């Protein structure tokens, strides 16, 4: 018994040591991913409908979201991917299953009705990047169980994807076997170093017979060959259509019924290639192979020893075979260049009698058969309405209409038989994708403002809108950084204000992961550009609430070029609030950059639950961009400063009383009794109070630019960082109280709740310093605990029991390596105990 007790005590001691070691290692290494990867954030550039058109699938980051088409609400979320999801398709073997693929190549098959993963296929090529998953039309339950479907079961078992934009591979969902279709496009194509050939998108027919891939200037068609179990790679036939200099867009779609494929270009044209099957069906020698040597033809053809690399070369060499018997010999050598101009395609012929008939066709030559019918070969039509790049093309299920969209923010519905157009304008941003429901009742249109519009095809109206975080990350000109990314709402701790589409801010609820509304600061539509130069637009640069959330301040900035403006060295407030415009190099030598700044003050109306504009101030600091806004903790007063301006201004809310007077200018002759009545009426009238804002005071410290400012907890002291000096002011009369010299400039300041401490961020010194305001000395320097390479951002955590804050930084790793140098960490720090509680490593 004693030996058993000793063994138990030894085991308990070893277990306690093990627990102690695990806790120490847990503090040293992150145990879970940050919360930001679990939120929806950005809606991806793809959405698909379910087989019964009742559900809509979309993805964001590592998760897949299922929404109801009827209500627009999120039903469930599918989690399991360890990398960012890049594509979704309906399982071609079972229409009740969903197939997803992440950028690492991991494929998961989901039973979306039960919200669980059925199967998973790991990537064969580790470290590669996968994209653009596609598959043929899903088989229904009745067709898959029938005996006649055994032959077509093999082609419905495959999904196709792009690998590193250079390879096309087919993955069998049943056997998990990977078959390369095209391997390394760069070795087969002779391309320049400046413009490398790469695949952009994939599409496949509904029956899986033909696969199309689009590159920058070439469209590739592949006729698939299947046996009972696998793909016969040796029997694949490939043809190509290459443009004459202009680029193709990534939009690509097959017609569901006819032998037709639609693809767009970057100049707004949509090309319809009819009867592309005849390119393969004429003869094996006539098929254009751009990857394998052309097989010689021994039937006496003059072009038998020639290898055709493009469709136009093949058509020009085979025009004699498709000519009518009564066609003149002078018209045989015809070469038409499709869409050489945006609106007027050019054609080059020896005899220009019939140039009008061949304007929109590559070759419209006909051949009479014995039965009197006419056979059209290789018909290439062009539909031109858009003025910019075509980002998405789709057909309806019956094939009667073609849907297209681009930068114009207009959904164009073209009836293919009559070539008539129907339009749905003002969608709120450039169209990124179009999805059609199987019953053709609903369309899902994704726009670059991070929204998905569900459109009723019968009434041609928007019935539902799915909103994400509407930061302008995909809108042109692209904004890579904002001066202020969010502002917390004191009335709702889960709701934050974010910069949204041009001229608007968005209220986003992080707890429910949905948008709560949009505040339109500037009323102007999102119009399409007419030149190569991007349009200048207003962007929300700053947003700030007061202590109780009843006052909201927004600062809008617009960067324009003008010959009357003064060249300013302002770089946009240090946060990239202004957008870099493309095509503006020619204007830099003759025009100067002008920053248009507008400060707006909004008051909250509880009766209508909305913010109402009260005061607008144009250029509050001249032509300088605002660097920050600080509200007084107890009064309706705030401070503004600009990073390249040495002045800081204090604005205060004031009340103006207006008396309501009757109109007495009509009759000037009034008796004494009438005058008494007027005086009595004026005394009985109530006065109207109007609230407005005015500039109360302005201050400066020498000629140093103000970089940061903050009020104390009680609002009696104002801290202002000017140059390398931290100054303390009396907030009532702006009397200078104290100044503390610093080694470098202070970029940001924060005050703790109910504690006499001040947190300062010095990015040049790579340090976060906490000051004790009672003794006016440093309480803690984070540089003594962490060897930081750079400080990215600091956030205070509101807590009454402990003083915690988060620091996003880059640490100096001694292990060496490129990954360690670029790694970013999120550190949780305790201010009172001078201790780092935990740190997480952020993903790249």
């Amino acid at each position: 018994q004693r030996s058993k007790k000793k063994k138990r005590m030894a085991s308990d001691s070893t277990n306690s040591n093990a627990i102690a070691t695990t806790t120490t290692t847990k503090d040293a290494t992150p145990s879970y991913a940050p919360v930001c990867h679990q939120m929806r954030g950005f809606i991806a550039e793809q959405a698909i409908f379910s087989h019964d058109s009742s559900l809509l699938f979309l993805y964001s980051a590592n998760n897949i979201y299922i929404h109801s088409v009827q209500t627009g609400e999120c039903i469930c979320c599918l989690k399991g991917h360890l990398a960012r999801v890049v594509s979704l398709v309906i399982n071609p073997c079972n229409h009740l299953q969903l197939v997803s693929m992440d950028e690492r190549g991991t494929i998961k098959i989901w039973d979306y009705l039960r919200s669980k993963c059925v199967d998973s296929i790991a990537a064969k090529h580790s470290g590669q990047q996968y994209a653009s998953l596609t598959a043929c039309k899903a088989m229904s339950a009745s067709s898959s169980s029938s005996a006649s479907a055994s032959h077509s079961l093999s082609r419905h078992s495959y999904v196709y994807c792009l690998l590193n934009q250079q390879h096309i591979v087919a993955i069998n969902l049943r056997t998990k076997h990977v078959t390369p279709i095209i391997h390394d496009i760069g070795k087969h194509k002779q391309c320049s170093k400046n413009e490398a050939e790469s695949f952009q998108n994939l599409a496949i027919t509904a029956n899986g017979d033909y696969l199309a891939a689009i590159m920058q200037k070439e469209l590739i068609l592949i006729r698939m060959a299947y046996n009972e179990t696998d793909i016969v790679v040796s029997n694949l036939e490939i043809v190509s259509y290459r443009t004459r200099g202009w680029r193709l867009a990534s939009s690509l779609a097959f017609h569901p019924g006819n032998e037709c494929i639609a693809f767009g270009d970057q100049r707004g044209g949509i090309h319809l290639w009819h009867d592309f099957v005849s390119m393969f069906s004429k003869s094996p020698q006539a098929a254009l192979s751009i990857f394998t040597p052309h097989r010689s033809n021994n039937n006496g053809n003059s072009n038998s020893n020639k290898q055709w690399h493009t469709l136009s070369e093949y058509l020009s060499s085979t025009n004699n075979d498709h000519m009518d018997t009564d066609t003149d010999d002078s018209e045989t050598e015809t070469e038409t260049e499709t869409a050489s101009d945006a609106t007027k395609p050019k054609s080059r012929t020896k005899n220009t009698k019939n140039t009008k008939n061949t304007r929109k066709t590559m070759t419209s030559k006909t051949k009479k058969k014995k039965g009197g019918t006419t056979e059209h070969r290789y018909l290439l039509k062009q539909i031109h309405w858009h003025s910019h790049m075509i980002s998405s093309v789709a057909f309806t299920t019956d094939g009667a209409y073609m849907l297209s969209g681009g930068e114009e923010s207009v959904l164009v519905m073209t009836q293919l038989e009559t070539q008539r157009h129907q339009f749905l304008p003002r969608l709120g941003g450039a169209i990124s994708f179009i999805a059609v429901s199987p019953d053709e009742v609903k369309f899902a249109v994704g726009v670059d403002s991070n929204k998905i519009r569900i459109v009723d095809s019968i009434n041609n109206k928007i019935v539902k809108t799915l909103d994400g975080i509407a930061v302008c990350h995909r809108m042109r000109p692209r904004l890579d950084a904002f001066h202020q990314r969010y502002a917390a709402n004191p009335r709702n701790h889960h709701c934050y204000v974010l910069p949204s589409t041009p001229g608007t801010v968005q209220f986003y609820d992080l707890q429910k992961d949905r948008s709560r509304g949009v505040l339109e600061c500037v009323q102007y539509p999102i119009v399409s550009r007419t030149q190569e130069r991007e349009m200048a637009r207003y962007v929300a640069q700053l947003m700030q609430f007061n202590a109780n959330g009843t006052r909201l301040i927004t600062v809008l900035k617009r960067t324009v070029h003008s010959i009357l403006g003064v060249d300013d060295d302002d770089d946009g407030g240090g946060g990239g609030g202004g957008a870099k415009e493309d095509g503006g190099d020619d204007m830099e030598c003759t025009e100067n950059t002008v920053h248009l700044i507008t400060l707006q003050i909004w008051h909250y109306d509880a009766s209508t639950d909305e913010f109402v504009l009260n005061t607008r101030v144009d250029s509050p600091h001249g032509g300088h961009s605002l660097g920050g806004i600080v509200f007084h903790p107890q009064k309706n007063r705030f401070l503004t400063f600009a990073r390249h301006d040495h002045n800081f201004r204090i604005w205060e809310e004031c009340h103006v009383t207006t008396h309501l007077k009757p109109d007495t200018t009509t009759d000037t002759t009034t008796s004494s009794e009438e005058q008494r009545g007027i005086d009595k009426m004026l005394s009985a009238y109530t006065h109207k109070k109007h609230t407005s804002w005015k500039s109360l005071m302005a201050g400066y410290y020498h000629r140093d630019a103000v970089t940061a400012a903050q009020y104390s907890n009680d609002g009696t002291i104002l801290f202002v960082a000017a140059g390398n000096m931290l100054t303390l002011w009396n907030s009532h009369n702006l009397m200078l109280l104290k100044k503390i010299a610093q080694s470098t400039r202070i970029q940001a300041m924060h005050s703790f709740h109910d504690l006499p401490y001040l947190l300062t961020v010095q990015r040049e010194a790579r340090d976060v310093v906490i000051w004790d305001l009672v003794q006016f000395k440093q309480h803690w320097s984070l540089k003594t605990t962490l060897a930081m390479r750079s400080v990215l951002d600091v956030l205070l955590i509101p807590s009454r029991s402990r003083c915690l804050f988060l620091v996003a930084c880059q640490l100096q790793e001694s292990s060496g390596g490129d990954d360690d140098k670029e790694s970013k960490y999120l550190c949780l720090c305790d201010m009172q105990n001078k201790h780092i509680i935990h740190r997480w490593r952020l993903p790249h």
Side-chain angles (χ1 to χ4, degrees):
Q1 291 178 357
R2 291 179 180 177
S3 62
K4 290 182 179 180
K5 288 182 179 181
K6 290 181 180 180
K7 291 181 180 179
R8 290 176 184 175
M9 293 173 63
S11 62
D12 294 340
S13 62
T14 53
N15 292 335
S16 62
N17 294 332
I19 294 173
T21 54
T22 54
T23 53
T24 53
T25 54
K26 184 177 180 180
D27 292 338
T29 57
S31 57
Y32 53 89
V35 184
C36 60
H37 258 236
Q38 305 300 327
M39 304 302 294
R40 176 165 0 198
F42 303 133
I43 294 179
E45 299 181 1
Q46 183 191 10
I48 57 175
F49 286 91
S50 60
H51 185 73
D52 57 354
S53 305
S54 62
L55 301 176
L56 183 67
F57 306 102
L58 55 97
Y59 57 88
S60 176
N62 303 357
N63 302 329
I64 303 170
Y65 297 90
I66 303 177
H67 284 258
S68 173
V69 178
Q70 185 72 21
T71 61
E73 297 293 332
C74 182
I75 300 176
C76 65
C77 175
L78 305 178
K79 300 180 181 180
H81 280 282
L82 300 179
R84 183 174 60 91
V85 182
V86 295
S87 189
L88 294 176
V89 291
I90 299 296
N91 192 350
C93 301
N94 187 358
H95 65 276
L96 297 178
Q97 292 180 353
L98 182 69
V99 181
S100 62
M101 183 181 67
D102 57 23
E103 59 184 359
R104 297 179 182 175
T106 303
I107 294 178
K108 291 185 177 295
I109 303 176
W110 306 86
D111 185 358
Y112 57 83
L113 297 180
R114 299 179 181 178
S115 302
K116 70 175 184 178
C117 181
V118 178
D119 196 2
S120 179
I121 303 175
K124 298 295 182 181
H125 304 278
S126 60
Q128 308 295 332
Q129 187 176 5
Y130 291 76
S132 187
L133 188 67
T134 185
C136 56
K137 186 177 180 181
M139 299 176 60
S140 60
S142 58
S143 60
S144 61
S145 60
S146 60
S148 60
S150 60
H151 180 70
S152 62
L153 189 61
S154 60
R155 66 184 62 192
H156 284 83
S157 302
Y158 281 94
V159 292
Y160 306 87
C161 64
L162 296 178
L163 176 61
N164 285 341
Q165 306 296 325
Q166 296 290 324
H167 318 278
I168 300 178
V169 296
I171 303 174
N172 195 322
L173 299 179
R174 295 180 179 270
T175 62
K176 301 181 181 181
H177 178 67
V178 179
T179 304
I181 304 299
I182 294 180
H183 181 67
D184 199 356
I185 185 69
K187 293 183 179 179
H188 299 280
K189 304 284 297 174
Q190 294 181 357
C191 26
S192 61
K193 296 181 180 180
N194 297 330
E195 181 181 355
E197 294 284 351
S198 61
F199 294 111
Q200 298 179 358
N201 199 3
L202 282 178
I204 194 169
T205 55
N207 54 7
D209 290 339
Y210 296 91
L211 180 69
I214 197 166
M215 296 190 296
Q216 282 83 357
K217 295 182 180 180
E218 191 165 0
L219 174 67
I220 296 176
L221 286 175
I222 306 172
R223 182 161 69 175
M224 306 300 297
Y226 304 91
N227 54 20
E228 296 181 357
T229 59
D230 204 351
I231 297 177
V232 184
V233 183
S234 59
N235 295 338
L236 298 180
E237 297 184 28
I238 304 175
V239 300
S240 68
Y241 164 66
R242 190 170 182 85
T243 63
R244 300 292 183 87
W246 41 271
R247 288 176 170 269
L248 296 176
S250 60
S251 54
L252 182 67
F254 277 101
H255 194 278
N258 301 332
E259 297 170 352
C260 174
I261 183 174
F263 54 96
D265 58 23
Q266 292 190 349
R267 297 180 301 175
I270 302 177
H271 307 272
L272 295 174
W273 187 0
H274 295 274
D275 196 18
F276 61 86
V277 181
S278 56
M279 289 292 298
F280 301 93
S281 60
K282 181 182 179 182
S283 64
Q285 290 78 11
L288 276 152
S289 177
I290 62 175
F291 302 108
T292 58
H294 183 70
R295 289 171 288 185
S296 61
N297 189 4
N298 299 325
N299 56 3
N301 191 359
S302 59
N303 295 324
S304 59
N305 297 326
K306 183 178 179 181
Q307 178 181 359
W308 301 296
H309 292 278
T310 61
L311 179 63
S312 57
E313 294 179 5
Y314 170 74
L315 293 174
S316 61
S317 61
T318 56
N319 273 336
N320 294 326
D321 298 337
H322 305 301
M323 294 291 291
D324 293 343
T325 56
D326 55 348
T327 304
D328 189 35
D329 296 336
S330 61
E331 298 180 2
T332 57
E333 296 180 7
T334 303
E335 182 178 3
T336 304
E337 180 178 352
T338 307
S340 61
D341 188 72
T343 55
K344 296 181 180 180
K346 297 179 182 179
S347 60
R348 186 180 61 199
T349 57
K350 289 186 177 181
N351 190 356
T352 58
K353 294 181 180 180
N354 299 326
T355 55
K356 295 183 179 180
N357 298 331
T358 61
R359 179 179 179 181
K360 291 186 178 181
T361 61
M362 193 162 188
T363 54
S364 58
K365 306 301 178 181
T366 58
K367 183 178 181 180
K368 292 183 179 180
K369 294 183 178 181
K370 296 181 179 180
T373 59
T374 303
E375 180 184 1
H376 295 269
R377 287 186 177 272
Y378 322 122
L379 190 62
L380 188 66
K381 291 185 178 180
Q382 180 185 6
I383 299 176
H384 204 137
W385 181 90
H386 300 272
S387 58
H388 302 290
M389 181 184 67
I390 304 296
S391 58
S392 181
V393 174
F395 289 98
T396 56
T397 308
D398 57 357
Y401 287 86
M402 180 182 65
L403 310 178
S404 61
E407 189 179 338
E408 299 85 5
S409 185
V410 178
L411 178 62
V412 182
M413 293 163 280
T414 306
Q415 190 177 13
L416 296 178
E417 185 177 356
T418 61
Q419 301 294 322
R420 292 183 179 180
H421 301 288
Q422 298 180 10
F423 307 98
L424 182 61
R426 295 180 292 274
L427 294 177
I431 296 176
S432 58
F433 67 87
I434 301 173
V436 182
S437 62
D439 58 0
E440 301 183 9
V441 178
K442 296 291 190 302
F443 302 148
V445 182
V447 295
D448 285 349
S449 57
N450 215 15
K451 298 179 181 179
I452 295 181
R453 308 283 192 182
I454 299 179
V455 182
D456 190 353
S457 61
I458 300 176
N459 300 325
N460 199 16
K461 293 182 180 180
I462 300 174
V463 293
K464 293 293 178 183
T465 300
L466 306 180
D467 292 329
I469 297 179
V471 181
C472 317
H473 66 290
R474 287 202 300 257
M475 300 195 69
R476 299 185 61 185
R478 180 174 178 177
L479 302 180
D480 295 330
F482 294 91
H483 184 80
Q484 183 182 0
R485 294 174 177 83
Y486 66 90
N489 188 1
R491 294 184 295 106
N492 187 355
H493 297 290
H494 302 289
C495 186
Y496 289 81
V497 180
L498 311 170
S500 183
T501 53
T504 61
V505 295
Q506 181 189 27
F507 293 82
Y508 198 85
D509 193 344
L510 293 181
Q511 184 183 22
K512 298 182 179 179
D513 197 11
R514 59 179 299 177
S515 176
R516 298 292 298 271
V518 175
L519 178 62
E520 188 176 14
C521 302
V522 179
Q523 297 182 359
Y524 71 96
I526 302 176
V527 296
S528 175
R529 57 186 172 91
T530 57
Q531 300 175 357
E532 294 297 328
R533 188 177 177 182
E534 298 292 342
M535 297 178 56
R537 50 192 174 89
Y538 281 99
V539 178
Q541 188 182 14
L542 291 171
M543 302 85 58
Q544 191 65 41
F545 284 94
N546 63 345
N548 54 9
T550 58
R551 301 292 185 266
L552 172 63
I553 298 178
T554 58
V555 177
L556 303 178
K557 178 181 177 180
R558 183 186 181 194
T559 304
V560 297
H561 298 277
S562 174
I563 59 175
L564 302 178
V566 180
D567 194 5
D568 190 8
D569 294 336
D570 189 7
D571 57 353
K580 295 181 180 180
E581 300 182 2
D582 298 335
D585 296 338
D586 299 337
M587 312 301 294
E588 291 181 356
C589 56
T590 58
E591 296 183 355
N592 296 324
T593 302
V594 179
H595 302 287
L596 304 179
I597 309 298
T598 302
L599 186 144
Q600 296 174 332
I601 304 175
W602 304 80
H603 289 192
Y604 177 72
D605 189 359
S607 60
T608 59
D609 193 17
E610 62 181 6
F611 283 91
V612 182
L613 181 62
N614 180 269
T615 305
R616 172 179 173 176
V617 182
D618 293 330
S619 302
H621 285 264
H624 302 282
S625 299
L626 266 69
I629 299 173
V630 182
F631 255 105
H632 195 280
Q634 298 177 358
K635 299 180 181 179
N636 286 334
R637 180 186 296 181
F638 65 92
L639 178 143
T640 60
F641 64 91
R643 293 189 182 275
H644 293 267
D645 188 11
H646 63 281
N647 294 323
F648 59 91
R649 297 181 181 274
I650 297 179
W651 307 78
E652 188 179 28
E653 181 178 342
C654 59
H655 301 278
V656 180
T657 304
T658 304
H659 295 278
L660 302 177
K661 299 180 180 180
D663 188 10
T664 58
T665 59
T666 57
D667 189 8
T668 57
T669 59
T670 56
S671 60
S672 60
E673 295 180 357
E674 293 177 354
Q675 186 65 34
R676 293 193 206 98
I678 292 175
D679 296 338
K680 185 178 180 181
M681 184 183 300
L682 287 176
S683 60
Y685 258 71
T686 58
H687 39 271
K688 181 180 178 181
K689 290 185 178 181
H690 178 70
T691 304
S692 62
W693 293 76
K694 66 177 182 179
S695 178
L696 183 64
M697 294 178 288
Y700 63 92
Y701 180 78
H702 296 294
R703 302 294 297 177
D704 297 332
V706 179
T707 57
Q710 183 65 39
Y711 278 99
S712 60
N713 295 328
D714 55 356
T716 57
I717 301 176
L718 176 63
F719 305 95
V720 177
N724 294 349
M725 197 70 65
L726 176 61
T727 58
L728 282 70
W729 305 74
N730 189 344
S731 62
H732 299 288
N733 51 14
L734 286 186
M735 182 180 295
L736 184 61
L737 302 177
K738 191 176 180 60
K739 53 185 179 180
I740 305 173
Q742 303 291 321
S743 59
T744 58
R745 292 185 300 173
I746 298 175
Q747 277 76 20
M749 287 191 293
H750 302 277
S751 60
F752 291 90
H753 182 70
D754 296 336
L755 288 177
Y757 291 98
L758 181 68
L759 185 144
T760 60
V761 179
Q762 301 176 2
R763 290 192 176 92
E764 296 179 0
R766 307 171 185 176
D767 194 6
V768 177
V769 181
I770 298 176
W771 294 85
D772 188 353
L773 301 180
V774 177
Q775 302 177 4
F776 289 103
K777 68 176 184 180
Q778 288 188 7
H779 174 71
W780 184 29
S781 177
L782 201 61
K783 192 175 183 180
T784 59
T785 308
L786 283 176
M788 294 182 293
R789 185 185 300 272
S790 62
V791 180
L792 304 177
D793 202 354
V794 176
L795 176 65
L796 298 184
I797 298 178
S799 177
R800 296 184 180 273
S801 59
R802 305 177 66 181
C803 295
L804 305 178
F805 61 94
L806 289 170
V807 178
C809 60
Q810 287 183 342
L811 301 182
Q812 296 180 359
E813 298 289 345
S814 60
S815 59
D818 297 336
D819 296 339
D820 294 336
K821 293 181 180 180
E822 298 179 357
S823 59
K824 301 177 182 179
Y825 289 86
L826 188 65
C827 303
L828 178 61
C829 306
D830 188 358
M831 184 270 297
Q832 291 178 335
N833 300 325
K834 302 180 184 181
H835 174 62
I836 298 177
I837 301 175
H838 195 76
R839 68 180 184 182
W840 299 269
R841 182 170 180 175
L842 299 178
H844 293 288

